[in-house]
Amino acid sequence: VINVVFSKANKQKALVSTGGRSVQAACDWLLFSHVDDPFLDDPLPREYVLYLRPTGPLANKLSEFWQQSRLLCGKNKAHNIFPHITLCQFFMCDDNKLDALCEALQNTVTRWKSKFPMPLPLEPYTSANFIGLFVEEERAEIVKKFAADFAMEAATKADVHVEPHKKQLHVTLAYHFQTSHLPVLENLAQSIDVKLGCDWVAVLFSRDIRFANHETLRVIYPYAPQNDDELELAPGDFIFMSPLEQTNTSEGWIYGTSLMTGCSALLPENYIMKADECETWIFHGSYSFLSPVSSPSNALTAGAVDRRYQEDQGPGEPPLHSVICQPIQPLRLNSQAGPQKRCLFVCRHGERMDVVFGKYWLSQCFDAKGKYVRTNLNMPASLPQRSGGYRDYDKDAPITVFGCVQARLIGEALLESNTVIDYVYCSPSLRCVQTAHNILKGMQQESKLKIRVEPGLFEWTKWVSGTSLPAWMQVAELAAANLGVDTTYRPHIPVSKLVVSEPYETYISRSYQVTKEILSECKSKGSKVLVVAHASSLEACTRQLQGLSPQNSKDFIQVVRKIPYLGFCACDEVGDTGVWQLVDPPILPLTHGPNHSFNWREILLQE
């Protein structure tokens, strides 16, 4: 029997590191996710910062500017932190003094409710590499006095040193951007009505002082360590990386520290992507100057963690639950709420037979007369009849039984998230048609929505072996196989327009062209379009819609290699601008791994 005992400092650290959300969150952080954290007993304080954050109509407009500027011009340094006005420099506070610090802020806001300038006048300002909104000087001096008052209260209540911000108070809109982007960013900034309603709230955030100068990365794919010096990765976790620690790493690997576990080790570079600095900050409370009630968040105590831990312990038993801190889940779209936007969903097909069972799977399953008999439970019980004979399956493989299950899971998830699909398009590859059909079955829409088979959605033809394209099944054959295709649909790019071994530029242009024509065809407001095609389609069908230039073929291939079966992405139209942006899908990701063929004779029957 293992009885884990933690110090009061450990429990306080768990509370602070989870933002005081709940006893359960603190217990999970302490007992499970950070049980092997080598810095668990480290007494280092955290760094805190006090911001003014806008709420209401102005906040919505600033958020819209953030999204559009990032979409049209890419990320600049302003995107590392949400819209705000800085009231003080980062300062240090011990974990056991956080309650006193929050009380100091609440007391200061209470004193200033009647004196704080509302509204807060903002004046646009633009230079060669900076665009922002500056607080009118006279009102800014009042806000600075509030910050100075908080500094004095924090010193008295929590014994911490706070240095109020002495520079001009402002909201940074764009910073360190390319010179060529200035006209676009300036035009977007001019559309912000600075007189919109707003309640400025004082918010307190903290960050781990050890990683203040590290690069923040987000884990996008799970990874199970193959060696002792490798880090386990879970989607939703964040990695802190210091350039100084990369001297002894091999190509394709970096050395980093997990936010979720606190452990440090090597990890594969292509399993992560850059994240914004503030995504790992902990929120400790917001205090309104208008509302009668503010919302401090750190209401839990180390004693509460003690009590919860004891409740989870039976007599002489370790905790019954064994849940680690869960990764941050993607935002869920609600197709029934708010203004209806046009959405494009792009999904890769399910697991394919020729990849699972090898390129000689036909000889395993078909006899000389072309009769099909499956030799593995993951092979379909039957296959559709083809006018060209079974050998056409060689270049146009079906999906496996598990591929069908994968697709239905996606459909069921779309159904559970209340996502409505208005139109379905797919590549002519059988694996894509079958995937689309099973997604609709999961959504319980297979009898209502018809699949539009569009040859223009086929993958880069350079990847097709041999000197000819696949002999795809005719639409009539697919309909006869009960795959729910639209027999009246006329493709935008017919099969006759596809060529073998097309140049990369031709494939990218074709994908963009057919996507635009599909969206034009489905131009009704709020329409939701699902495209089921290939791994390459998630990049090729969405990148130029966002106003971005195509990647070179080498980088494109690296992206495609990372997209798993049923990889799913979502793209929303930005207003009526004709520009689209990638957004969080309405469903959770689907993770699955290989299951090698099991031969009981070889494994269990030993002479």
Side-chain angles (χ1 to χ4, degrees):
V1 177
I2 301 175
N3 185 18
V4 185
V5 178
F6 294 100
S7 67
K8 182 177 180 180
N10 291 152
K11 299 160 193 167
Q12 194 70 51
K13 177 176 284 192
L15 284 167
V16 174
S17 299
T18 55
R21 292 195 308 271
S22 67
V23 173
Q24 182 66 61
C27 286
D28 287 346
W29 187 96
L30 191 60
L31 295 170
F32 303 111
S33 64
H34 283 261
V35 68
D36 294 321
D37 187 345
F39 296 98
L40 185 60
D41 296 318
D42 194 326
L44 277 177
R46 291 180 68 84
E47 278 193 323
Y48 290 79
V49 69
L50 178 64
Y51 288 152
L52 279 182
R53 286 196 68 179
T55 63
L58 179 60
N60 295 336
K61 193 64 179 177
L62 290 174
S63 178
E64 183 181 319
F65 171 87
W66 239 245
Q67 295 174 357
Q68 292 185 346
S69 63
R70 194 165 189 166
L71 177 65
L72 297 175
C73 301
K75 182 179 178 181
N76 62 66
K77 283 197 173 183
H79 289 114
N80 277 327
I81 306 175
F82 42 77
H84 68 279
I85 295 175
T86 303
L87 294 183
C88 68
Q89 306 300 317
F90 273 95
F91 61 92
M92 292 182 290
C93 177
D94 293 329
D95 292 342
N96 62 355
K97 296 178 180 178
L98 175 58
D99 286 346
L101 181 65
C102 290
E103 184 181 348
L105 179 56
Q106 188 171 24
N107 291 346
T108 309
V109 170
T110 300
R111 286 198 300 271
W112 279 80
K113 277 184 181 288
S114 60
K115 297 181 286 184
F116 197 84
M118 288 289 188
L120 201 57
L122 298 173
E123 301 172 350
Y125 174 82
T126 301
S127 67
N129 66 349
F130 175 89
I131 299 175
L133 303 173
F134 280 78
V135 181
E136 186 267 326
E137 189 171 349
E138 185 177 342
R139 306 292 180 89
E141 289 304 312
I142 300 175
V143 177
K144 288 181 180 179
K145 289 178 181 178
F146 161 77
D149 192 14
F150 165 69
M152 293 177 60
E153 184 80 8
T156 303
K157 288 278 187 184
D159 192 27
V160 297
H161 176 70
V162 178
E163 185 68 34
H165 194 65
K166 292 186 172 61
K167 298 181 180 179
Q168 287 181 286
L169 301 184
H170 63 275
V171 178
T172 301
L173 297 179
Y175 178 56
H176 268 212
F177 46 82
Q178 295 182 25
T179 305
S180 59
H181 291 159
L182 178 59
V184 177
L185 293 171
E186 192 171 15
N187 185 55
L188 287 174
Q190 288 172 352
S191 69
I192 300 174
D193 183 357
V194 296
K195 295 182 180 179
L196 286 172
C198 176
D199 175 15
W200 292 90
V201 296
V203 290
L204 192 64
F205 290 91
S206 73
R207 67 184 183 186
D208 192 319
I209 193 173
R210 294 172 297 154
F211 307 119
N213 296 314
H214 286 51
E215 186 172 359
T216 306
L217 308 164
R218 184 191 295 108
V219 176
I220 52 177
Y221 301 110
Y223 178 74
Q226 308 297 311
N227 299 290
D228 292 341
D229 61 348
E230 295 175 6
L231 191 66
E232 182 175 2
L233 301 180
D237 191 10
F238 289 89
I239 302 297
F240 298 110
M241 182 197 73
S242 168
L244 301 177
E245 297 175 331
Q246 310 309 311
T247 53
N248 296 320
T249 57
S250 56
E251 185 176 357
W253 291 78
I254 65 168
Y255 187 85
T257 302
S258 162
L259 170 69
M260 188 182 293
T261 66
C263 298
S264 305
L266 295 169
L267 59 135
E269 193 172 15
N270 59 349
Y271 281 59
I272 55 177
M273 65 182 293
K274 288 185 178 181
D276 296 337
E277 176 188 343
C278 64
E279 289 187 71
T280 60
W281 292 0
I282 300 299
F283 168 75
H284 296 285
S286 63
Y287 304 83
S288 169
F289 289 92
L290 293 180
S291 302
V293 179
S294 296
S295 59
S297 70
N298 195 20
L300 301 178
T301 65
V305 178
D306 260 339
R307 290 192 296 275
R308 181 55 179 264
Y309 177 66
Q310 293 300 327
E311 291 169 3
D312 285 337
Q313 296 273 97
E317 293 293 330
L320 297 177
H321 61 289
S322 58
V323 182
I324 65 168
C325 284
Q326 294 298 309
I328 299 170
Q329 301 294 354
L331 295 175
R332 306 299 294 271
L333 294 179
N334 186 341
S335 60
Q336 305 302 318
Q340 294 296 297
K341 297 181 178 179
R342 290 207 298 161
C343 299
L344 171 67
F345 303 119
V346 186
C347 183
R348 187 190 178 190
H349 59 76
E351 181 183 85
R352 49 191 286 185
M353 286 273 282
D354 54 343
V355 171
V356 175
F357 298 106
K359 61 180 180 178
Y360 300 112
W361 73 274
L362 287 178
S363 61
Q364 299 175 34
C365 300
F366 289 91
D367 60 20
K369 296 182 179 180
K371 182 181 179 182
Y372 170 77
V373 178
R374 69 175 179 179
T375 58
N376 188 284
L377 289 176
N378 197 25
M379 293 178 173
S382 62
L383 292 177
Q385 293 294 316
R386 308 183 71 127
S387 59
Y390 75 92
R391 294 194 180 279
D392 284 348
Y393 279 118
D394 185 39
K395 285 189 175 181
D396 188 28
I399 58 177
T400 62
V401 172
F402 186 53
C404 295
V405 173
Q406 292 171 314
R408 284 200 298 274
L409 285 172
I410 294 295
E412 290 168 2
L414 289 168
L415 178 63
E416 290 171 3
S417 67
N418 298 319
T419 301
V420 175
I421 300 295
D422 301 301
Y423 306 95
V424 182
Y425 291 79
C426 79
S427 159
S429 295
L430 178 60
R431 58 188 180 272
C432 298
V433 180
Q434 290 179 315
T435 300
H437 176 66
N438 280 281
I439 289 175
L440 291 177
K441 286 179 70 174
M443 294 186 70
Q444 302 175 16
Q445 294 291 311
E446 72 272 23
S447 62
K448 299 177 183 178
L449 275 177
K450 294 296 182 181
I451 302 166
R452 298 176 174 181
V453 179
E454 175 53 65
L457 291 171
F458 184 61
E459 65 185 348
W460 188 8
T461 60
K462 181 181 178 181
W463 289 333
V464 177
S465 61
T467 58
S468 63
L469 294 174
W472 294 298
M473 293 178 66
Q474 298 296 314
V475 171
E477 292 179 292
L478 295 170
N482 297 316
L483 288 173
V485 296
D486 184 350
T487 57
T488 65
Y489 175 69
R490 296 294 176 261
H492 294 281
I493 300 180
V495 173
S496 60
K497 296 293 185 180
L498 300 181
V499 297
V500 181
S501 297
E502 66 188 337
Y504 170 67
E505 293 74 19
T506 302
Y507 167 64
I508 292 297
S509 176
R510 164 167 65 86
S511 299
Y512 181 40
Q513 175 192 340
V514 75
T515 305
K516 286 195 300 180
E517 291 180 3
I518 286 172
L519 292 172
S520 177
E521 188 173 51
C522 310
K523 59 184 177 182
S524 57
K525 187 175 181 180
S527 61
K528 310 291 189 294
V529 179
L530 170 63
V531 167
V532 181
H534 307 270
S536 55
S537 305
L538 275 74
E539 169 76 4
C541 292
T542 64
R543 184 173 179 84
Q544 287 173 274
L545 279 184
Q546 303 171 68
L548 302 175
S549 300
Q551 301 195 75
N552 61 57
S553 59
K554 183 179 178 181
D555 290 340
F556 171 78
I557 291 171
Q558 291 302 313
V559 170
V560 173
R561 287 175 57 190
K562 299 174 183 177
I563 298 173
Y565 292 127
L566 272 301
F568 193 100
C569 72
C571 216
D572 277 359
E573 186 178 25
V574 181
D576 297 321
T577 62
V579 178
W580 295 67
Q581 62 179 359
L582 285 173
V583 297
D584 288 312
I587 60 174
L588 297 173
L590 173 64
T591 304
H592 45 86
N595 182 38
H596 301 292
S597 180
F598 172 61
N599 188 318
W600 69 272
R601 291 182 182 275
E602 294 178 1
I603 305 299
L604 302 178
L605 190 60
Q606 301 181 10
E607 299 294 339

